[in-house]
């Protein structure tokens, strides 16, 4: 009787995706499709650069950014947060928005005790155009929406330089 050998598999190539990462991407797609329109992160969070591991404590707010000749406007949807839970800073040409959501619930009844805690934090940074006037920034927070308006300096135009490419 002939002995059966194990099926042969092709050797892994440098561009192949690890089976667990492929599974994770499939699960991410499934949750993204299910949660479409809810502005929720994928099950395992953002792209982790090939590392496995959940980031369940992170919150990813929806951000809109628009620019006109006179200003840059950034709007962040932060439902469930109060203005005291959010900070905005300008540093080295970057606008940094950070926040933390803390929910604690406690119920004491005759035959049971329930205590739940939930925490999540986020931090987003945006490179601002050089034309933004750091002294003319306004921020408002109303009904869970943070709106930051950054005025541009009058007469300031973004500088761009064309770089000549030589053939070698």
């Amino acid at each position: 009787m002939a002995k059966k050998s194990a099926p042969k598999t092709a050797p892994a190539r440098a561009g192949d995706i690890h089976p667990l990462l492929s599974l994770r991407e499939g699960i991410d797609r499934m949750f993204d499709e299910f949660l479409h329109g809810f502005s929720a992160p994928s099950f395992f969070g953002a792209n982790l650069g090939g590392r496995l591991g959940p980031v369940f404590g992170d919150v990813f707010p929806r951000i809109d950014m628009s620019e006109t000749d006179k200003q840059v406007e950034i709007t962040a949807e932060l439902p469930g947060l109060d203005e005291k839970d959010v900070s905005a800073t300008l540093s080295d040409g970057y606008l940094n928005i950070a926040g933390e959501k803390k929910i604690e619930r406690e119920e004491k009844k005759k035959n049971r005790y329930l205590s739940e805690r939930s925490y999540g934090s986020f931090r987003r940074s945006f490179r601002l155009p050089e034309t933004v006037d750091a002294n003319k920034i306004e921020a408002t927070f109303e009904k869970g929406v943070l709106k930051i308006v950054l005025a541009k300096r009058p007469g300031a135009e973004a500088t761009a330089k064309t770089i000549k490419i030589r053939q070698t």
Side-chain angles (χ1 to χ4, degrees):
M1 186 177 235
K3 185 178 177 183
K4 290 185 177 181
S5 61
K8 294 187 178 186
T9 58
R13 293 175 301 194
D16 288 348
I17 295 176
H18 189 278
L20 288 177
L21 290 176
S22 178
L23 175 64
R24 184 191 101 182
E25 289 174 358
I27 292 171
D28 281 350
R29 273 193 305 278
M30 179 184 72
F31 273 90
D32 287 343
E33 289 170 8
F34 175 76
L35 297 171
H36 180 73
F38 288 96
S39 184
S42 63
F43 184 70
F44 283 103
N47 179 1
L48 300 176
R51 294 176 288 143
L52 287 175
V55 287
F56 299 113
D58 290 341
V59 178
F60 301 99
R62 180 168 289 195
I63 306 276
D64 291 320
M65 186 173 186
S66 62
E67 181 177 5
T68 65
D69 293 340
K70 296 185 179 197
Q71 67 186 25
V72 174
E73 184 177 301
I74 297 175
T75 306
E77 296 177 16
L78 306 170
L81 292 180
D82 294 322
E83 64 184 74
K84 65 178 174 38
D85 300 324
V86 180
S87 69
T89 59
L90 182 64
S91 176
D92 296 327
Y94 284 89
L95 174 68
N96 303 295
I97 302 172
E100 185 172 20
K101 185 174 187 175
K102 299 176 189 176
I103 300 173
E104 295 185 17
R105 182 177 141 208
E106 191 172 338
E107 287 182 23
K108 293 180 182 179
K109 297 211 175 176
K110 187 175 183 179
N111 293 332
R112 72 179 176 114
Y113 173 76
L114 172 68
S115 177
E116 295 180 321
R117 290 174 187 81
S118 176
Y119 300 94
S121 63
F122 73 93
R123 180 174 183 80
R124 299 284 306 267
S125 296
F126 304 92
R127 178 80 175 139
L128 298 176
E130 295 174 7
T131 56
V132 166
D133 187 344
N135 297 315
K136 294 185 179 178
I137 301 174
E138 294 181 14
T140 57
F141 192 89
E142 184 177 351
K143 296 182 180 178
V145 177
L146 172 67
K147 182 178 179 180
I148 300 175
V149 178
L150 305 110
K152 292 184 177 180
R153 291 187 307 275
E157 294 182 22
T159 57
K161 179 179 179 180
T162 301
I163 301 168
K164 185 176 180 176
I165 301 173
R166 295 183 299 146
Q167 184 175 5
T168 56

